[in-house]
Amino acid sequence: MSVFLFVLDGLGVFNENSLSTYQNLTKKISINNNQINFLLNAGLDRALTGKYNLLFPKYCYAGSLEGHREMFDYYSNEEYTICDGGLSKEILDDLYIETRIKCIGNIKGRGKDLIPVLSKNKDQKSVILYIGIDSTISLAYDVKEFRFSDIVSYANKLLRMLHDKKINIRKLIIRGYINHFSDLRVRKEIFKKVDFDEKLSKLGFSKCFVNPKVQDILCLSGPEIIHANCDNECYNYILSKKIASNSLYFINFPDFDYYAHQCLYSNCKNALVKFNGFLPVFLNKLSNNDYVIITSDHGVNFINSDLSNAHIREGVLFLCINDGKSFVLNRQTGLDNIYKTIQKIQKNKTISTHYSLLP
């Protein structure tokens, strides 16, 4: 028995007017029901619909970091102390003395707005630093000017300085750009490490397979890394490899993540249509005691028709498929319910008491 946990970032979409999330998403991307017929028959629309509901209002902003970790039943109420006004001159001066790399920007904003402007007016040997909306720091660098390894070293020195100053951030993002626009091939997120190995061992799987984003967030010891940089590479890996017995596959599909955050709605549609085509082929590979769980790592506050920011915790998509049967969650609960569900599956306990069996 193996469990596949598929994370579709762009599907955790709710709005403040308690309208159907599915309606809002399809309205933006002009999707035709026939294009995702398999997902609809499996219960996608019923898994997505529901009332707007913040589970933890005090800590309502939640992104990939919180989402993936909460799936493993880990919650943190730590406060983030990064200032919207940027880092102090003292930190930037010390960073320059240690690295001899200048830092420009140091303002709050979004990469797609700042990188094209700041990159045209910078000196040689400088990186762009900006503060994200969700307590993050991003470093953008010209891929023609720096080696990736040098920027990783630079980022780790900055993180050490922040730690020494007791400045707590959610994560640091490294982004590359070329000719003043983001290079989609270069992106790395650095998170504070948390030990999830004990939680994984309690699930009792012999092996664990993850893709790079999941590994960056969970920092597991010894998983098999699925080196896939786009959805098609994920699909090819999953369909071409023999399914390992008693294993957990935890995969965040990269295309959904990127397209939703960049508001590329037609690409969101294409990604969903491709997933609709992939899923029935994949399910035919499974035995009757394998499970597939489809979810999202966070929702999005649907403000001004913009899906790219304002992550929130709420009752995101939760669809479970086993032996041709589909289940959806009966009530709005936290993402930790995924961990509890996998525990039940591993112990051969029924999940029907917690889920609605769809026809």
Side-chain angles (χ1 to χ4, degrees):
M1 185 272 295
S2 292
V3 175
F4 292 80
L5 179 54
F6 292 154
V7 179
L8 310 183
D9 193 293
L11 287 183
V13 182
F14 273 59
N15 85 342
E16 291 181 309
N17 298 320
S18 301
L19 297 176
S20 161
T21 58
Y22 174 66
Q23 290 174 347
N24 281 321
L25 184 62
T26 55
K27 192 180 298 182
K28 286 300 302 180
I29 63 178
S30 302
I31 201 164
N32 185 309
N33 284 1
N34 291 331
Q35 295 176 294
I36 55 170
N37 61 321
F38 188 86
L39 283 168
L40 292 179
N41 290 336
L44 176 68
D45 52 343
R46 282 158 286 187
L48 274 173
T49 54
K51 188 167 67 174
Y52 177 85
N53 176 29
L54 287 179
L55 295 177
F56 302 93
K58 185 177 180 183
Y59 302 99
C60 63
Y61 285 97
S64 295
L65 172 64
E66 290 82 3
H68 286 82
R69 289 182 173 181
E70 287 171 13
M71 290 180 204
F72 264 56
D73 199 21
Y74 175 87
Y75 285 84
S76 171
N77 289 336
E78 62 183 322
E79 298 279 0
Y80 298 106
T81 55
I82 183 67
C83 174
D84 288 348
L87 301 180
S88 68
K89 184 177 184 299
E90 177 188 3
I91 292 176
L92 296 182
D93 287 346
D94 289 346
L95 191 60
Y96 176 72
I97 291 171
E98 190 166 336
T99 65
R100 292 299 166 182
I101 297 175
K102 290 183 179 179
C103 171
I104 65 170
N106 194 30
I107 56 177
K108 185 175 182 179
R110 296 168 64 180
K112 67 178 184 178
D113 302 320
L114 297 176
I115 291 174
V117 176
L118 294 176
S119 63
K120 293 178 181 178
N121 300 304
K122 74 175 189 64
D123 298 328
Q124 291 289 315
K125 279 294 187 181
S126 60
V127 297
I128 297 170
L129 182 149
Y130 57 95
I131 313 299
I133 61 169
D134 51 357
S135 304
T136 65
I137 288 180
S138 291
L139 293 174
Y141 74 99
D142 190 331
V143 298
K144 295 180 180 178
E145 198 170 69
F146 293 96
R147 294 181 303 179
F148 177 71
S149 59
D150 291 337
I151 300 300
V152 172
S153 175
Y154 181 89
N156 285 323
K157 289 174 180 176
L158 172 58
L159 288 172
R160 175 175 50 79
M161 291 181 180
L162 295 177
H163 179 267
D164 291 343
K165 297 289 185 181
K166 294 182 171 51
I167 297 174
N168 194 23
I169 65 173
R170 178 174 274 118
K171 63 182 175 181
L172 188 148
I173 305 172
I174 296 174
R175 301 180 62 180
Y177 66 85
I178 187 169
N179 298 327
H180 313 299
F181 292 97
S182 294
D183 183 350
L184 305 184
R185 299 167 298 177
V186 182
R187 178 183 171 93
K188 180 177 177 61
E189 297 177 313
I190 303 177
F191 305 92
K192 182 187 293 184
K193 291 188 176 181
V194 175
D195 184 8
F196 284 94
D197 289 320
E198 182 180 355
K199 286 189 175 291
L200 180 60
S201 66
K202 287 182 178 178
L203 291 176
F205 291 104
S206 302
K207 291 183 179 179
C208 180
F209 298 79
V210 298
N211 65 330
K213 178 166 183 174
V214 174
Q215 175 61 7
D216 285 344
I217 295 174
L218 298 186
C219 306
L220 297 168
S221 298
E224 181 161 331
I225 307 297
I226 300 172
H227 293 287
N229 297 313
C230 65
D231 287 4
N232 281 340
E233 291 180 3
C234 288
Y235 298 153
N236 290 338
Y237 177 93
I238 296 167
L239 293 176
S240 63
K241 301 290 185 180
K242 182 180 178 180
I243 295 173
S245 61
N246 192 33
S247 296
L248 174 66
Y249 292 77
F250 192 173
I251 300 172
N252 179 298
F253 289 101
D255 292 1
F256 283 92
D257 192 3
Y258 175 76
Y259 294 144
H261 287 288
Q262 296 296 317
C263 301
L264 300 173
Y265 302 118
S266 62
N267 297 78
C268 286
K269 178 190 76 171
N270 293 337
L272 192 59
V273 171
K274 282 185 179 180
F275 184 75
N276 180 78
F278 154 79
L279 194 56
V281 178
F282 167 67
L283 292 177
N284 282 334
K285 288 188 61 173
L286 303 183
S287 66
N288 58 8
N289 62 345
D290 292 329
Y291 284 77
V292 177
I293 297 173
I294 303 170
T295 189
S296 184
D297 51 351
H298 58 77
V300 180
N301 207 350
F302 198 72
I303 301 172
N304 298 325
S305 300
D306 185 353
L307 297 182
S308 64
N309 58 22
H311 297 164
I312 57 174
R313 290 184 178 92
E314 27 75 12
V316 297
L317 160 71
F318 193 109
L319 181 63
C320 184
I321 302 174
N322 164 249
D323 194 22
K325 300 183 292 292
S326 295
F327 302 83
V328 294
L329 203 59
N330 279 342
R331 58 188 184 279
Q332 305 249 343
T333 61
L335 282 167
D336 64 321
N337 196 71
I338 290 174
Y339 185 84
K340 294 169 185 174
T341 297
I342 295 174
Q343 284 181 313
K344 290 179 181 294
I345 291 171
Q346 273 287 64
K347 295 176 181 178
N348 292 317
K349 292 184 177 180
T350 179
I351 62 173
S352 60
T353 55
H354 297 281
Y355 301 90
S356 294
L357 176 63
L358 299 177

